Amino acid sequence: MGFSKDFIWGAAAAAYQIEGAYNEDGKGLNIWDVYAGNNGNTRFNEVGDVACDHYHRMKEDVALMKEMGLKAYRFSVSWARVIPEGVGAVNEKGLKFYSDLVDELLKQGIEPIVTLFHWDYPYALHRKGGWRNDESSEWFLEYAKVIVDALSDRVQYWGTLNEPQCFIGCGNLVGEHAPFDKLPARDLLIMGRNVLLAHGKATRYIRQNAKKKAYIGYSPIAPAYIPKDNSKEAIEEAKAKTFSSDGDRFVFSITYWSDPIFLGRYPQDLLDQYGDLVPEFTKEEWELVTEPLDYYGANIYYSSADKHGNAYPDNWSQGVAHTHINWVLAPEVMYWSSKFIYERYGKPIFITENGMAEHDWVCLDGKVHDTYRIDYTHRYLKEFKKAADEGVGLFGYLHWSVMDNYEWAHGYNQRFGLVYVDYATQERIMKDSAYWYKRVIESNGENL
């Protein structure tokens, strides 16, 4: 069966990680602008003030996307660049940047995929309580309206939120991402409710007001447990673990963020643990949260595993293959995650992020020979193709990332890109993986 003729091949990036120009042309501050360089929050207190300078080099970067044969490019909009205070006056220069980006992509034959939110929450709204404030879903709706009204005459593919597990879990439970907070379950449950409502309100607005036919989804992280063998019992055990809400770490689970949207209910094990602490939705709010989506945007890099104190996790062993960011090489997760999620939620799987961090450098011949990235991507795509062969509905695949960039709390230490970026000079060099990926796209994955 393989990949369908309309399968979407592309790559992705996020505003804060590549744009730079953090205080130019009327842009407001976001929580990463404010907190990233403080108190060792990020490696060497590194920040995204300049990053890849994509704000000034957009046309050059789109030309590289064209050269590597991308059919689609997923980017996020910086909320504070468009609405500096989060609500209220629109910064027309900021909005124009994204309009120009869409125009340039279409000019080069590349489909734009817009993600409304990829972690860079406006600082002005954070000061008002951020996602803990029950007005936050309305703030998000106001922002979504501006973007949809401006871009939907040319944009068809939309994502509402990227990885709520990370911007709530990493940012507000374990304190590893901005705003670097450690909050109790009561606050996290309130935040989760408001995030789900924000997603629903934005989805409804896109569906009812987009000027072109809209394809809408959102992108949680979606790692599965890999069965220990192919027995029915092992598969059912892995599936049960994959869809556990994981106790006090519920904000990192798949089901906390997906069951309400696709099944119209909270996971039962969450309700069993937290009872009345779990905020209710009214009937009208449930209708918002469950607004129909066109795809399940899954960000998949590694497999899930049980952890045992100071011992190795289940998917780790001495000398196990792992990437520069210490994620275990586990290509089978692409098959099992896609299979499990498709069976549970019934939506075609769009891999909106997959890729690997590596120690990349420019070799003596002036090229970047990232053989491990090619091998990694080849392995993961073969498993994704296997899922297609077994009848799992697939929507597309987006490599993370189109270029090396600011890797959040890790700063500039890891390189994920198909394009090498020299941060001192802003020189770009297409890596070997970019040329390899171009051939994969040209063959629609038949050469894997």
Side-chain angles (χ1 to χ4, degrees):
M1 184 181 298
F3 301 113
S4 64
K5 291 182 179 179
D6 59 353
F7 187 85
I8 296 172
W9 293 97
Y16 187 75
Q17 293 180 271
I18 67 170
E19 284 180 4
Y22 84 102
N23 63 351
E24 293 185 36
D25 290 342
K27 178 187 169 294
L29 295 174
N30 63 59
I31 55 175
W32 283 90
D33 292 324
V34 172
Y35 294 119
N38 300 328
N39 305 317
N41 285 335
T42 58
R43 185 179 176 90
F44 305 124
N45 283 327
E46 289 176 330
V47 296
D49 290 3
V50 176
C52 305
D53 197 31
H54 175 69
Y55 186 77
H56 298 114
R57 300 169 184 266
M58 178 267 289
K59 290 188 177 182
E60 173 189 350
D61 292 337
V62 174
L64 286 170
M65 298 177 205
K66 173 70 172 179
E67 186 176 347
M68 72 178 76
L70 298 187
K71 302 299 184 184
Y73 171 54
R74 173 183 176 237
F75 64 91
S76 73
V77 176
S78 169
W79 186 343
R81 191 179 297 284
V82 174
I83 308 178
E85 296 299 310
V87 292
V90 173
N91 175 27
E92 294 298 338
K93 287 185 178 180
L95 187 58
K96 184 178 185 298
F97 169 75
Y98 297 105
S99 181
D100 290 348
L101 171 58
V102 168
D103 286 344
E104 190 66 20
L105 289 166
L106 293 172
K107 177 182 174 183
Q108 300 293 350
I110 301 169
E111 196 73 43
I113 301 173
V114 173
T115 298
L116 292 174
F117 181 70
H118 196 135
W119 307 1
D120 48 350
Y121 199 80
Y123 179 61
L125 296 184
H126 175 68
R127 292 180 62 195
K128 296 180 180 180
W131 293 114
R132 275 180 288 185
N133 190 317
D134 287 340
E135 295 181 23
S136 58
S137 64
E138 283 295 307
W139 299 339
F140 189 72
L141 176 59
E142 179 180 332
Y143 157 63
K145 287 179 178 179
V146 172
I147 304 306
V148 174
D149 291 351
L151 303 182
S152 66
D153 59 331
R154 291 155 289 160
V155 172
Q156 286 192 277
Y157 295 92
W158 298 87
T160 55
L161 306 163
N162 186 78
E163 297 183 352
Q165 292 102 327
C166 292
F167 68 80
I168 297 298
C170 295
N172 296 279
L173 173 60
V174 297
E176 294 175 353
H177 284 179
F180 303 98
D181 284 339
K182 296 181 179 181
L183 302 177
R186 182 186 297 271
D187 283 356
L188 297 172
L189 288 162
I190 290 169
M191 298 173 90
R193 179 183 187 276
N194 290 328
V195 167
L196 290 167
L197 278 173
H199 159 80
K201 290 178 180 181
T203 300
R204 178 174 291 182
Y205 188 82
I206 298 168
R207 188 74 70 197
Q208 293 182 351
N209 297 277
K211 298 164 189 173
K212 295 188 72 171
K213 179 178 173 58
Y215 300 90
I216 312 169
Y218 96 125
S219 299
I221 61 168
Y225 282 80
I226 296 173
K228 296 175 183 177
D229 55 51
N230 287 324
S231 68
K232 181 179 179 181
E233 293 77 15
I235 292 170
E236 289 304 312
E237 179 186 8
K239 186 185 296 185
K241 288 182 176 181
T242 297
F243 294 123
S244 165
S245 67
D246 203 19
D248 293 338
R249 291 176 60 84
F250 65 92
V251 290
F252 289 109
S253 72
I254 292 173
T255 48
Y256 176 67
W257 298 109
S258 298
D259 279 16
I261 289 172
F262 295 99
L263 303 180
R265 62 175 186 263
Y266 283 114
Q268 187 58 49
D269 55 349
L270 178 89
L271 296 172
D272 291 343
Q273 176 161 356
Y274 289 105
D276 292 342
L277 273 185
V278 181
E280 296 282 349
F281 288 115
T282 66
K283 179 178 180 295
E284 292 75 16
E285 288 171 336
W286 272 119
E287 290 173 354
L288 281 168
V289 170
T290 56
E291 278 287 323
L293 296 178
D294 299 291
Y295 64 83
Y296 189 107
N299 293 354
I300 300 174
Y301 295 91
Y302 49 80
S303 61
S304 293
D306 290 326
K307 298 177 177 61
H308 310 282
N310 292 324
Y312 285 129
D314 286 350
N315 63 351
W316 197 286
S317 59
Q318 190 170 16
V320 71
H322 59 280
T323 71
H324 183 28
I325 206 167
N326 282 332
W327 294 343
V328 173
L329 178 69
E332 298 87 354
V333 73
M334 287 282 272
Y335 169 78
W336 289 109
S337 285
S338 300
K339 179 179 175 65
F340 288 166
I341 290 169
Y342 185 67
E343 289 174 352
R344 187 177 183 91
Y345 301 123
K347 294 294 180 182
I349 307 301
F350 194 174
I351 301 298
T352 42
E353 290 184 25
N354 169 251
M356 70 161 290
E358 192 178 330
H359 304 77
D360 296 319
W361 62 77
V362 182
C363 296
L364 288 172
D365 60 4
K367 299 177 181 179
V368 180
H369 302 297
D370 56 337
T371 55
Y372 289 118
R373 182 170 292 103
I374 293 172
D375 186 75
Y376 172 102
T377 310
H378 194 168
R379 290 170 184 261
Y380 276 68
L381 281 173
K382 284 181 69 174
E383 293 293 330
F384 200 37
K385 190 175 183 180
K386 177 183 174 183
D389 291 339
E390 295 188 10
V392 174
L394 304 187
F395 202 87
Y397 173 88
L398 304 177
H399 192 278
W400 184 272
S401 169
V402 69
M403 68 182 74
D404 294 336
N405 55 48
Y406 178 78
E407 185 46 38
W408 306 110
H410 295 283
Y412 296 95
N413 196 43
Q414 280 85 15
R415 293 181 178 271
F416 272 93
L418 295 165
V419 174
Y420 180 91
V421 178
D422 183 322
Y423 299 115
T425 66
Q426 293 299 333
E427 180 186 9
R428 274 87 157 125
I429 300 173
M430 285 176 56
K431 303 177 186 178
D432 286 358
S433 59
Y435 295 103
W436 175 85
Y437 189 43
K438 180 178 184 177
R439 294 190 292 273
V440 172
I441 295 171
E442 289 171 344
S443 75
N444 197 35
E446 290 301 314
N447 64 341
L448 293 170

